[in-house]
Amino acid sequence: MPGYPIQEVISQLDAVVIQPGSDFEVHTLLTDSRKLFPPAGTLFIALKGPNHNGHQFIEDLADRGVLAFVVEEDLPIYPQGVTIIKVGNTRQALQRLAAFHRQHFDIPLVGVTGSNGKTIVKEWLYSLCRDTFRTVRSPLSYNSQVGVPLSLWRLKEDTELGIIEAGISLPGEMERLEKMIRPTIGIFTHLGAAHDENFSSRDAKLREKVKLFGSVRTMIYNRDDDRIHRALKEVLPEDAEIWNWSEYHPEARVSVEREDLPNGGCKVALHWDGRSMTTICPFREPALVEDALHAMVTAIALGVPTEGIAEKVNHLESVPMRMELKLAANGSLLIHDYYNSDVESLKIALDFLERQHNRLPKWVILSDVLESGKDPTVLYGDLSKWLARRGVEKLIGIGPEIHAHQDLFPSYSEFYTSTDAFLEDLHPDQLSNKAILLKGSRPFRFERIARKLEESIHQTVLEIDLEAIMHNLRYFRNRIAPTTRLMVMMKAFGYGSGTFQVANILEAAGVDYLAVAFTNEGVELRKAGIHLPIMVLNPEPESFDILIQHQLEPELYSFRILDAFARKLEERAIFEYPVHLKIETGMHRLGFEEKLWVTLGDRLKGSRRMKVASVLSHLAASDDPEQRDFTLGQITQFDRATRILEQTLGYSFLRHILNSSGISEYPEAQLDMVRLGIGLYGVSNQHWERPNLRTVMRLRTKISQIKELDPGESVGYGRAFIAERPTRIATLPIGYADGLFRSLGNGVGEVAIHGHRAPIVGRVCMDMCMVDVSDIHAEEGDMAEIFGDIIRVEEIARKADTIPYEILTHVSQRVQRIYTTE
Ligand SMILES: *Cc1c(COP(=O)(O)O)cnc(C)c1O
């Protein structure tokens, strides 16, 4: 996206520049210093909250390359060479910039508000629309005075539809949100009845909320709630197009019929303007069906084809993405809401807890609520009442502040000053057969609690540390020039890590390109909502239609494939489709050989169907210093190829040849882009590099049983191990079908238990293996690390006589992936 020159940004603010710096284009607004990436093009806005002051991070961010800062406080000294822009109120400055950015878009923009269901409606509407329009939505539940501007800033040049969620907690806030969002389409999701103290305050809140819709052109709401209907009447522009729906009201534009099905879902038929549509919802809880109806009716009003809507409704997931719903210890249900513990999002989560599973007793584990802007006595007093009204049976409060205010909660609540204190006390059995909502502010790291509870059911897990991925990404970013682009290789299920979660953070982190091996892998990424350009390394001609449909970009490596693709483009009357050319320079795998380069250029020059987005080649031995001459030869040959192509084609394109080891060893050949693969996962062929990288994947399991053997007794198939002394053997529920190589048996490989190594003895079975724990402490139920920080993937690869790539990509799909962020 082209950015705004910093001078233009400054001119939008009532600002004094107290220290001028260099000119650059602003692409990213940053308010959370932990999320810096990449520094180029970032403007940091120092916000202040009761427990947080962004001004503290300015020096550090300047060190890391941020060039400009918006502040509201004076600092004793400012870092040299950066622009410091002073305003009266940084939060308002952020809002003004969002409003300024918003003005550039003449597209349908949906504003969603209400007391419940906002996030779910937003996510579902997104699912229904994303194949029809390039859609940008608020991330997570960014619906506040800070979240909304950050969401709006995500609108990009090519965005065709925006979906923005708006939540308020104080009077006056909605007007400010409205000024920024300027929605053209409004959705009022639901008005809660139980939550407000008295009618007059509820009414006031409703009147406040509908202010979002003062200038919409289209409005979607449930006609069966008269309060909403009346309140909207007062604010909606006269010519607004109304799309209200109802099961009972004869006047509603869309009439709804609904019938429960034996499988737990329901059939829904909609009739409007002489048309109809029928679909099956995979759930029947009234609140969720209501949310789905809002999304469906909005999609219809937007002109999304109804067959597509009906099809997609079948697959709506009843869990919004920001929350994870899992089975945990002993029949419990765990809802982990990872983000923020602001009050509004706590309400969404509780709402969700209540709607989903009202059979199980409801427990809430809650941390201190940070940055609520409220007096703690008021805040926790309100929360306590609120939890009681929601029928929460027990609260476990964690954190110094909630601990200090425990008198405000019922006596059967429990309090701990820290997550560690709670974990020490925790026995997963205490939490059996409950519906548990885990809601913690980030510093409390509640994922550790989740993990402990999940461990009780998942014996073997591959844990993926997303924070470590970000660290490694920053490391490689810093090794290349700011102008060099970064493509991340996501083939083979992201080297075993799982694709969607990783791609999602890479997109948010500003990576330029993704690459996958096959078309279907790219389709999966698109379905998951990834918008980044995606190159397909090995596109099969049979898949060209789907490839084009999902805007995936093929790597063309021979005239056979090039001609086939050209015919497809011809057939579909497409022009200037981006393609990538693979050049043969010594790998002898895929690619155009030297004698074909001139013809290739000539052939493409005449074609208006394709546009060469990039030209690439792959190094055969970038990790081997002994092959340095060969590698340099490949680089020279590639250089020759790109010159010839540039000359014959008459335009330029991105050139790239380096993989992870190449980035480390041949920085001079980084050209326009590099292709990062295994390095992102913290694995390096270069010894010197390892200390700079963090371990991303850890494969762990849990001891099933421990046996005491007498000398002479044997272990496993073929009696391959015979005890020579009294021996303790632990059985682990992981075998070669999970990705534990069979060649690691018979004492070759080891696992780590409590930080100590234990050899794998006897033969590795399909689903199990045995380890000798005679010399270390180990009990049934203890964790064993197969690989991670103690036993590195590189070590296992060496012992199994293979390479780390094979170890990572062999962790079977039946092993549960767990994603953590610090
Ligand atoms: C897999 C792959 C890469 C990445 O290799 P790493 O060694 O994992 O960094 C780069 N380019 C191509 C063409 C690849 O197939």
Side-chain angles (χ1 to χ4, degrees):
M1 185 180 86
Y4 301 105
I6 182 76
Q7 295 307 333
E8 189 177 0
V9 168
I10 294 169
S11 71
Q12 293 304 316
L13 304 171
D14 266 335
V16 189
V17 177
I18 41 184
Q19 177 175 295
S22 49
D23 282 339
F24 70 100
E25 281 202 351
V26 175
H27 295 269
T28 312
L29 299 184
L30 182 73
T31 59
D32 179 344
S33 61
R34 292 168 306 193
K35 297 198 177 136
L36 173 65
F37 186 92
T42 297
L43 173 66
F44 181 72
I45 302 184
L47 300 178
K48 276 176 69 177
N51 299 307
H52 171 93
N53 187 343
H55 296 79
Q56 287 167 348
F57 303 103
I58 292 177
E59 208 177 310
D60 174 44
L61 289 168
D63 275 352
R64 287 156 65 193
V66 176
L67 289 177
F69 298 85
V70 179
V71 301
E72 63 177 56
E73 272 179 4
D74 290 314
L75 287 161
I77 44 162
Y78 293 105
Q80 300 251 304
V82 301
T83 306
I84 303 284
I85 303 155
K86 185 160 180 205
V87 296
N89 179 320
T90 44
R91 184 197 278 216
Q92 278 169 21
L94 172 67
Q95 296 176 345
R96 276 169 75 160
L97 292 180
F100 163 69
H101 182 62
R102 159 72 182 98
Q103 283 166 17
H104 294 77
F105 296 88
D106 185 15
I107 55 171
L109 210 134
V110 183
V112 186
T113 199
S115 24
N116 315 80
K118 292 187 283 295
T119 304
I120 299 185
V121 171
K122 177 201 69 185
E123 290 298 330
W124 286 352
L125 178 60
Y126 173 73
S127 313
L128 299 186
C129 293
R130 68 174 179 222
D131 287 347
T132 312
F133 305 107
R134 278 193 208 102
T135 308
V136 166
R137 68 191 192 282
S138 317
L140 323 177
S141 63
Y142 273 33
N143 64 21
S144 64
Q145 298 286 313
V146 173
V148 166
L150 293 176
S151 303
L152 285 168
W153 194 264
R154 293 165 73 103
L155 295 174
K156 289 195 283 250
E157 256 179 334
D158 63 351
T159 303
E160 294 166 333
L161 172 69
I163 310 174
I164 303 288
E165 180 183 334
I168 51 168
S169 42
L170 297 170
E173 287 187 337
M174 194 55 97
E175 261 165 295
R176 279 205 294 280
L177 293 182
E178 197 277 334
K179 281 209 190 82
M180 263 186 286
I181 304 174
R182 296 263 161 216
T184 63
I185 300 176
I187 306 179
F188 197 106
T189 56
H190 183 84
L191 182 63
H195 327 167
D196 287 300
E197 308 291 25
N198 55 58
F199 189 76
S200 93
S201 81
R202 185 172 68 206
D203 220 34
K205 206 158 182 194
L206 171 60
R207 277 204 300 275
E208 177 75 23
K209 287 194 162 133
V210 295
K211 285 182 182 158
L212 181 61
F213 307 121
S215 54
V216 295
R217 276 173 257 159
T218 307
M219 183 73 214
I220 289 88
Y221 66 96
N222 178 353
R223 180 62 186 86
D224 293 332
D225 191 330
D226 262 323
R227 300 166 301 172
I228 299 176
H229 178 66
R230 269 180 279 133
L232 283 172
K233 242 186 174 157
E234 284 170 31
V235 294
L236 285 179
E238 237 158 56
D239 57 351
E241 200 190 337
I242 304 293
W243 281 87
N244 50 17
W245 57 267
S246 163
E247 283 187 62
Y248 314 106
H249 214 286
E251 248 175 46
R253 176 158 181 185
V254 183
S255 80
V256 177
E257 288 171 79
R258 156 154 98 108
E259 181 192 328
D260 284 351
L261 297 175
N263 67 356
C266 67
K267 188 165 142 189
V268 179
L270 307 184
H271 308 277
W272 73 98
D273 304 356
R275 301 183 55 195
S276 4
M277 173 185 127
T278 305
T279 185
I280 310 279
C281 285
F283 39 76
R284 66 158 74 132
E285 292 87 341
L288 293 177
V289 175
E290 181 177 2
D291 293 345
L293 281 164
H294 284 306
M296 281 189 260
V297 173
T298 312
I300 291 172
L302 280 163
V304 177
T306 51
E307 317 81 68
I309 300 177
E311 217 279 310
K312 292 196 174 77
V313 169
N314 305 160
H315 307 294
L316 289 179
E317 288 188 27
S318 54
V319 186
M321 309 220 326
R322 49 193 282 284
M323 287 186 247
E324 219 169 66
L325 178 66
K326 285 188 170 165
L327 294 173
N330 307 341
S332 276
L333 192 88
L334 186 65
I335 297 176
H336 190 180
D337 187 348
Y338 285 97
Y339 300 102
N340 272 323
S341 73
D342 61 86
V343 180
E344 199 60 26
S345 73
L346 175 66
K347 290 182 187 172
I348 297 175
L350 267 180
D351 195 41
F352 185 69
L353 179 69
E354 186 171 58
R355 288 155 139 201
Q356 286 292 296
H357 297 275
N358 29 24
R359 286 176 300 106
L360 296 170
K362 291 192 278 271
W363 284 26
V364 171
I365 306 180
L366 177 71
S367 75
D368 284 356
V369 177
L370 304 180
E371 295 168 42
S372 74
K374 288 197 186 141
D375 174 63
T377 315
V378 177
L379 171 70
Y380 293 108
D382 282 354
L383 272 179
S384 172
K385 276 189 241 158
W386 223 77
L387 293 172
R389 230 175 303 143
R390 286 286 179 159
V392 171
E393 260 185 28
K394 181 161 184 151
L395 168 78
I396 298 176
I398 297 179
E401 199 179 81
I402 198 165
H403 186 269
H405 290 84
Q406 53 179 285
D407 291 348
L408 299 170
F409 293 91
S411 57
Y412 46 80
S413 313
E414 280 177 35
F415 295 88
Y416 298 87
T417 49
S418 68
T419 308
D420 286 323
F422 172 69
L423 283 172
E424 238 164 67
D425 230 33
L426 170 68
H427 198 281
D429 286 348
Q430 297 162 319
L431 298 181
S432 60
N433 293 310
K434 311 279 184 304
I436 302 162
L437 173 65
L438 258 185
K439 185 117 177 73
S441 302
R442 282 180 67 153
F444 290 91
R445 299 187 51 206
F446 271 16
E447 64 278 0
R448 289 179 298 159
I449 303 177
R451 223 178 298 156
K452 185 139 179 187
L453 295 176
E454 281 158 12
E455 273 164 13
S456 323
I457 57 160
H458 299 300
Q459 307 285 346
T460 303
V461 297
L462 181 66
E463 185 184 301
I464 292 111
D465 183 343
L466 298 175
E467 208 64 43
I469 290 188
M470 291 303 287
H471 169 91
N472 297 337
L473 184 66
R474 279 194 290 268
Y475 169 77
F476 282 102
R477 253 270 167 237
N478 284 334
R479 290 194 62 86
I480 59 177
T483 47
T484 302
R485 290 171 214 226
L486 192 73
M487 172 183 268
V488 172
M489 309 307 285
M490 302 246 26
K491 51 196 193 204
F493 200 52
Y495 289 57
S497 71
T499 342
F500 164 62
Q501 287 83 351
V502 176
N504 204 28
I505 63 161
L506 294 176
E507 180 163 78
V511 157
D512 301 285
Y513 249 101
L514 298 178
V516 294
F518 299 102
T519 305
N520 62 337
E521 295 176 330
V523 171
E524 288 307 311
L525 288 175
R526 285 283 182 256
K527 285 194 174 152
I530 301 296
H531 287 305
L532 282 176
I534 299 175
M535 177 174 92
V536 180
L537 294 165
N538 215 331
E540 322 76 359
E542 301 74 35
S543 73
F544 281 162
D545 280 311
I546 338 178
L547 178 134
I548 293 170
Q549 215 175 316
H550 291 87
Q551 293 173 303
L552 305 171
E553 304 174 9
E555 174 191 287
L556 306 178
Y557 52 81
S558 70
F559 281 120
R560 177 183 65 83
I561 198 105
L562 186 144
D563 291 339
F565 195 63
R567 277 196 300 277
K568 184 55 75 182
L569 295 174
E570 190 83 40
E571 187 185 307
R572 301 182 63 127
I574 295 172
F575 289 100
E576 306 229 317
Y577 198 92
V579 299
H580 304 265
L581 303 179
K582 181 71 155 289
I583 298 302
E584 173 58 60
T585 58
M587 181 83 174
H588 296 112
R589 195 168 66 176
L590 298 178
F592 289 96
E593 290 149 38
E594 181 144 14
K595 60 177 189 284
L596 304 174
W597 296 344
V598 176
T599 328
L600 175 62
D602 283 342
R603 181 90 70 89
L604 284 167
K605 186 183 181 184
S607 161
R608 286 154 54 233
R609 300 280 168 199
M610 293 178 218
K611 172 103 201 243
V612 178
S614 87
V615 174
L616 68 149
S617 189
H618 195 37
L619 297 175
S622 59
D623 56 344
D624 185 354
E626 295 193 354
Q627 302 282 355
R628 194 170 176 86
D629 285 344
F630 179 83
T631 303
L632 292 173
Q634 278 197 282
I635 294 170
T636 314
Q637 204 186 359
F638 181 63
D639 182 56
R640 217 161 43 234
T642 54
R643 276 169 210 265
I644 291 177
L645 286 167
E646 204 159 59
Q647 263 167 23
T648 42
L649 279 173
Y651 59 83
S652 57
F653 39 75
L654 299 173
R655 301 160 301 156
H656 45 117
I657 191 167
L658 299 183
N659 64 341
S660 306
S661 293
I663 301 173
S664 310
E665 296 292 337
Y666 301 90
E668 66 282 4
Q670 56 186 268
L671 306 173
D672 306 309
M673 183 150 80
V674 295
R675 300 190 302 270
L676 180 60
I678 199 150
L680 187 66
Y681 303 100
V683 175
S684 175
N685 300 311
Q686 279 66 40
H687 268 287
W688 56 267
E689 194 154 60
R690 287 184 198 161
N692 301 317
L693 298 173
R694 277 173 55 184
T695 302
V696 170
M697 298 197 239
R698 294 183 182 82
L699 181 61
R700 304 185 274 112
T701 190
K702 231 168 61 174
I703 300 177
S704 314
Q705 193 175 30
I706 292 190
K707 294 216 154 88
E708 310 278 347
L709 267 62
D710 290 329
E713 290 185 305
S714 66
V715 171
Y717 285 123
R719 308 191 61 210
F721 175 82
I722 310 265
E724 286 173 0
R725 52 169 182 164
T727 301
R728 287 182 89 216
I729 293 294
T731 303
L732 304 178
I734 181 169
Y736 56 80
D738 299 291
L740 180 68
F741 280 48
R742 198 163 169 278
S743 53
L744 292 168
N746 298 320
V748 176
E750 291 173 318
V751 305
I753 298 169
H754 298 302
H756 297 288
R757 288 166 175 258
I760 301 174
V761 292
R763 293 181 192 161
V764 172
C765 315
M766 187 186 288
D767 311 305
M768 280 179 264
C769 70
M770 281 67 85
V771 298
D772 182 346
V773 293
S774 308
D775 301 324
I776 63 173
H777 170 74
E779 285 177 42
E780 293 181 357
D782 286 354
M783 298 302 302
E785 175 191 292
I786 312 299
F787 61 70
D789 286 313
I790 296 169
I791 300 182
R792 297 187 51 100
V793 174
E794 291 95 334
E795 174 187 331
I796 302 202
R798 192 166 27 79
K799 289 182 169 164
D801 198 17
T802 176
I803 51 174
Y805 301 75
E806 193 179 8
I807 301 289
L808 291 178
T809 54
H810 271 63
V811 178
S812 124
Q813 289 302 317
R814 78 178 185 189
V815 172
Q816 152 113 5
R817 268 73 176 163
I818 292 182
Y819 299 89
T820 65
T821 53
E822 300 278 299

